[in-house]
Amino acid sequence: MTVSRTICLGFMAVITVGTILLMLPISTSDGSWNNLVVALFTSTSAVCVTGLSVVDPGTYFSFWGQLFIALLVQIGGLGYMTTTTFLILLIGHKFDLRQKMAIQQALDRPGMQGSAQVIRSIIATTLIFEITGIFLLLPAFVPQYGWSQGLWLAIFHSVNSWNNAGFSLFKDNLIGYQTSVLVVFTVTTLIIFGGIGYQVILEMYLWLRDRIFKQKTCLIFSLDFKVATSTTLILLILGTIAFFCIEVRNPATFGNLDLGGQFLVAWFQSVTPRTAGFNTIDISKMTTAGLFITIAFMFIGASPGGTGGGIKTTTLRVLTSCTKAILQGKEEVLLYDRKIAISLILKAVGVLVASVATVILATVLISLTDPKLDFIQILFEVVSAFATVGLSTGITGTVSTAAKLILIITMYIGRVGVLLLMSAILGDPRPTRIHYPEENLLVG
């Protein structure tokens, strides 16, 4: 079995187990057997760290059902291979060459050395951030809900924030906390660091360590770090400004809030589409321009190696750098004085084309199964599913069963990756030694 098939089938296996667990009577609040489609949709959404839900998780599922969702989100955020490898390390077994190759491909690492240490570091980083998030969220939830319920709410939302999933146990998601500085900045910080990638966090840690202990070692940031951090920062700033300018006069979202509240909501709305799914405003009441910008941010997504989805920030930068090089008449694509390899440019183009094709196909199919829905609502739902975001205009629970199945497939494709899924179906690509003659072609 190829490495790509191992990863894809691994996610399917986890989704299947999650579906069975969520179907059990102990998972529902009324103690009855769960509907198969509801269980499958919820399990897929959790493992794919999406957050879309056809029911209200806070009232429909019991504590055990909510616990299963949190565990599935954790497994999905870490990734199938990371979780499996960690369990292998716990029981003291060694993994073979094929498993090392799977880890390399799952983590998008250039080599296989030190894979076990990387897995331990990822688990430790995850626990540090999630536990910190829990302690920060306790003062917001405990006074209102008591210690037991408040602690569980803090755990559930911290896990979902770090893993960039949008499941919430509140009926209105986080709208009730839209002006809470503690909740907004805790959740958004977890979302940003969870989606920016482990490698970036590690380099940040090493840089801070050198500064704190005043070590003379010269740390040179990698190209991944520079691209991920700069692109994320640019998107966050532009998103905050754009949402503030577009929605500031919309009384249905945050037009009636004071300036501080408007800033908090605009900041949160800039962070959450990439790709967490929490919301502090009613998404269905946003302007068309606001919805379209949200779709664009969802499609871009987070950074490689993180818990988010989308085409990734690095793909965006490679494509924009290609456009810049063409406009300047250059034959090389540069990023921070480094030449980008042709193979990476081709991969970026492949990711973009395959992603657009997937979104178009899913949108067309749902338009046929549910013709009464508005186009912008369908497109929003599909991009949210593909980019594993979880934001919705409120139609998730009302669409037909066929549309739900299409969204399930879309979430799965978005989580494992279009190119990885194609490799699993067609087999891992092999380089060819055959070279063909070049010929000009009119383009543009």
Side-chain angles (χ1 to χ4, degrees), residues 74-354:
Q74 189 72 83
I75 294 172
L78 289 172
Y80 163 73
M81 286 310 305
T82 303
T83 306
T84 303
T85 305
F86 179 67
L87 293 176
I88 292 174
L89 291 173
L90 277 181
I91 60 178
H93 286 187
K94 295 182 179 180
F95 38 89
D96 56 22
L97 180 61
R98 182 175 294 277
Q99 289 171 319
K100 289 183 179 180
M101 292 175 63
I103 296 168
Q104 175 195 0
Q105 188 164 350
L107 299 179
D108 200 17
R109 283 171 52 82
M112 293 181 287
Q113 297 297 324
S115 296
Q117 183 60 39
V118 171
I119 296 298
R120 293 190 185 98
S121 299
I122 291 175
I123 299 295
T125 303
T126 298
L127 291 177
I128 290 171
F129 273 93
E130 289 182 350
I131 292 173
T132 303
I134 292 169
F135 279 107
L136 290 175
L137 290 174
L138 282 175
F141 298 145
V142 170
Q144 186 176 355
Y145 295 96
W147 267 105
S148 59
Q149 181 66 8
L151 176 61
W152 173 237
L153 289 171
I155 294 172
F156 189 89
H157 288 87
S158 180
V159 169
N160 274 267
S161 298
W162 169 257
N163 290 289
N164 277 228
F167 285 104
S168 176
L169 299 182
F170 303 113
K171 278 192 174 183
D172 60 354
N173 208 282
L174 295 180
I175 294 178
Y177 296 91
Q178 63 180 185
T179 57
S180 171
V181 176
L182 179 62
V183 173
V184 167
F185 280 102
T186 299
V187 171
T188 53
T189 301
L190 288 172
I191 291 171
I192 292 170
F193 279 96
I196 206 168
Y198 163 77
Q199 183 64 33
V200 173
I201 296 176
L202 176 61
E203 291 189 39
M204 284 182 182
Y205 164 74
L206 294 176
W207 182 83
L208 287 173
R209 184 195 64 182
D210 293 346
R211 292 297 177 274
I212 293 173
F213 294 100
K214 297 181 180 179
Q215 298 183 7
K216 295 182 179 180
T217 55
C218 181
L219 176 65
I220 300 176
F221 289 119
S222 66
L223 185 60
D224 281 322
F225 178 92
K226 294 176 181 178
V227 172
T229 52
S230 61
T231 307
T232 298
L233 185 61
I234 292 170
L235 290 174
L236 290 175
I237 295 174
L238 291 179
T240 302
I241 296 173
F243 285 116
F244 182 86
C245 294
I246 291 173
E247 297 291 332
V248 70
R249 296 183 180 180
N250 184 2
T253 51
F254 55 90
N256 291 330
L257 298 173
D258 58 25
L259 186 61
Q262 290 173 346
F263 170 76
L264 285 177
V265 174
W267 163 254
F268 195 94
Q269 192 58 32
S270 177
V271 174
T272 191
R274 309 178 39 253
T275 55
F278 288 115
N279 58 282
T280 55
I281 58 174
D282 188 344
I283 301 297
S284 65
K285 295 180 181 179
M286 291 181 69
T287 61
T288 303
L291 289 175
F292 195 77
I293 291 178
T294 305
I295 290 173
F297 274 86
M298 290 193 298
F299 189 73
I300 294 170
S303 301
T307 56
I311 63 172
K312 310 296 185 185
T313 54
T314 49
T315 303
L316 175 68
R317 285 297 295 274
V318 169
L319 294 173
T320 53
S321 297
C322 286
T323 306
K324 180 182 177 182
I326 292 171
L327 294 176
Q328 292 177 342
K330 296 180 179 179
E331 295 183 356
E332 293 182 346
V333 178
L334 302 177
L335 266 174
Y336 295 99
D337 298 325
R338 293 293 186 271
K339 179 182 176 181
I340 305 300
I342 295 296
S343 59
L344 290 179
I345 296 173
L346 293 176
K347 184 177 181 180
V349 173
V351 168
L352 177 64
V353 173

